[in-house]
Amino acid sequence: MTMSNLRAHLGFYLILLAATWLFGSALYAEEDFESEFMAWAEEFGLLPASLSAIGQDGNLLLAAGFANAIDLPRPIASISKTIAGQCAVHMARQEVLSLKSTTSDFLDWDGPQGDVTVAQLLTHSSGFGPDSTQRDILGRNLNNYARIQAVIDDVSTRQMLSSDAGSYSYNNENFLVLEALMTAAANEDAVSWCKRSVPGLNLLETLARADQAEALGFAGGLSISAQDLALFFHGLTVDDDWPRVLIAGSNEYGPGVIMQTTSVGQNIFHVGGICVALGPKFGAFAAQLTSGNSVAALYSGCADENALGRLNELVLRHLGEP
């Protein structure tokens, strides 16, 4: 999630990155990924930062912290959506809800707002908008549950963007509503249910609500260590029951994750960032590459397009080959 005075919000970045991210041939991996990442973070003013990579065999390739402990959990902003997506799919498999369940089923919403499904929320294809969270440049929503509930209440009656219904339109409100729906379906806090019940998530000791943005929950308010996040991405498997919509070319947005088709396979990734004018600034990137390697990078500050592009180059150079 980006709530910022940057010239583009995360929806723009995701479309841009889906078109360009992680393409190209990997170079040799003998260079020092750790030192290059630290130099990247220093150059763009993104320290403290942490980095972790998992090999295709599941073994730890590296874990490094710069100006913070290696295993320190940090906010992951919109990568929280990826965790929410895997939990929602698991809930559907356990018949706690269905991907076809609607907001009227669990939240008692009426009208077209009540016809929105879990699958549409997961893929930003609900037709909700415009995204009111992008206007929160002071970060007043980050730790204010009452303000988040007010956003959800507004979405329940706000006119739909009918021209966007069924197509991709990035909106943090989708995952605010999704968390409310999942909480109602589970009859307990959805984040707690997911951490306890979802295979893989229940092994991630550092996963929690982020102190800096806890009210955002699944929309952008979780924290985790880089190593645990890399492990989580390593375990992702694109399954037939994943909902998905096209976002750019043949690339798709699935349940809280971008699936990028290449000539040699599929990359799975997500990025996130919160950059509030008078508040916290942090970001994250995580991916499972066609090489079978997985990576997670957590950093402080506001990463712009140039910084993200440079990070892409580093990831490809060191992890793009098996």
Side-chain angles (χ1 to χ4, degrees), residues 223-284:
S223 64
I224 195 172
S225 70
Q227 184 171 332
D228 275 355
L229 185 58
L231 284 169
F232 169 69
F233 265 78
H234 176 76
L236 290 180
T237 302
V238 178
D239 292 317
D240 292 339
D241 61 350
W242 279 22
R244 59 196 74 190
V245 295
L246 288 174
I247 55 174
S250 61
N251 302 299
E252 300 173 303
Y253 196 96
V257 68
I258 294 175
M259 298 172 288
Q260 181 195 56
T261 300
T262 76
S263 60
V264 293
Q266 194 169 55
N267 294 309
I268 307 171
F269 75 97
H270 210 290
V271 295
I274 289 181
C275 193
V276 178
L278 300 177
K281 299 173 177 64
F282 49 79

Side-chain angles (χ1 to χ4, degrees), residues 2 11 31 41-43 45 77 86 124 130 136 215 241 256 264 282-283 313-314:
T2 303
E31 297 166 302
E42 288 182 327
E43 177 181 351
Q86 296 311 295
H124 295 293
D136 182 27
D241 61 350
V264 293
F282 49 79
E313 294 172 4
L314 288 180

Side-chain angles (χ1 to χ4, degrees), residues 110-129:
D110 298 319
Q113 297 87 350
D115 295 331
V116 172
T117 67
V118 170
Q120 290 174 321
L121 295 171
L122 285 169
T123 55
H124 295 293
S125 58
S126 65
F128 291 148

Side-chain angles (χ1 to χ4, degrees), residues 74-91 122 175 178 182 190-196 198-202 204 206-209 217-225 228-230 232-233 236 253 255-257 270 286:
R74 301 189 61 82
I76 57 173
S78 278
I79 299 180
S80 304
K81 295 178 175 69
T82 310
I83 291 172
Q86 296 311 295
C87 183
V89 169
H90 182 72
M91 277 188 167
L122 285 169
F175 279 76
L178 178 66
M182 292 169 65
V191 175
S192 298
W193 189 95
C194 296
K195 185 174 180 180
R196 185 185 70 251
V198 180
L201 291 186
N202 56 7
L204 304 180
T206 63
L207 176 63
R209 289 187 184 269
F218 285 152
L222 301 184
S223 64
I224 195 172
S225 70
D228 275 355
L229 185 58
F232 169 69
F233 265 78
L236 290 180
Y253 196 96
V257 68
H270 210 290

Side-chain angles (χ1 to χ4, degrees), residues 15-201:
I15 292 174
L16 172 72
L17 293 175
T20 62
W21 197 268
L22 300 172
F23 276 113
S25 300
L27 303 177
Y28 296 103
E30 286 83 357
E31 297 166 302
D32 190 345
F33 188 16
E34 182 176 329
S35 63
E36 288 193 31
F37 177 80
M38 183 174 180
W40 169 84
E42 288 182 327
E43 177 181 351
F44 290 100
L46 301 175
L47 292 173
S50 52
L51 174 71
S52 185
I54 306 295
Q56 58 180 322
D57 57 2
N59 290 324
L60 182 67
L61 296 179
L62 69 89
F66 308 101
N68 67 276
I70 292 174
D71 58 352
L72 181 71
R74 301 189 61 82
I76 57 173
S78 278
I79 299 180
S80 304
K81 295 178 175 69
T82 310
I83 291 172
Q86 296 311 295
C87 183
V89 169
H90 182 72
M91 277 188 167
R93 292 169 181 167
Q94 297 299 308
E95 300 183 347
V96 176
L97 49 70
S98 165
L99 295 177
K100 296 181 179 179
S101 294
T102 65
T103 48
S104 64
D105 292 334
F106 288 102
L107 300 179
D108 297 324
W109 287 12
D110 298 319
Q113 297 87 350
D115 295 331
V116 172
T117 67
V118 170
Q120 290 174 321
L121 295 171
L122 285 169
T123 55
H124 295 293
S125 58
S126 65
F128 291 148
D131 186 353
S132 65
T133 69
Q134 300 293 345
R135 299 193 297 269
D136 182 27
I137 63 173
L138 299 180
R140 294 179 297 174
N141 292 342
L142 300 183
N143 285 313
N144 192 318
Y145 286 92
R147 290 184 65 88
I148 291 299
Q149 185 58 53
V151 170
I152 295 171
D153 291 342
D154 177 61
V155 172
S156 72
T157 58
R158 187 197 309 154
Q159 184 175 351
M160 304 279 285
L161 298 178
S162 57
S163 61
D164 289 335
S167 60
Y168 175 83
S169 180
Y170 191 90
N171 185 345
N172 295 307
E173 296 168 336
N174 287 311
F175 279 76
L176 296 178
V177 174
L178 178 66
E179 182 177 342
L181 189 155
M182 292 169 65
T183 292
N187 199 30
E188 67 171 289
D189 174 67
V191 175
S192 298
W193 189 95
C194 296
K195 185 174 180 180
R196 185 185 70 251
S197 305
V198 180
L201 291 186

Side-chain angles (χ1 to χ4, degrees), residues 3-15:
M3 292 188 274
S4 70
N5 55 1
L6 294 177
R7 66 187 183 89
H9 61 69
L10 186 56
F12 168 80
Y13 283 128
L14 289 180
I15 292 174

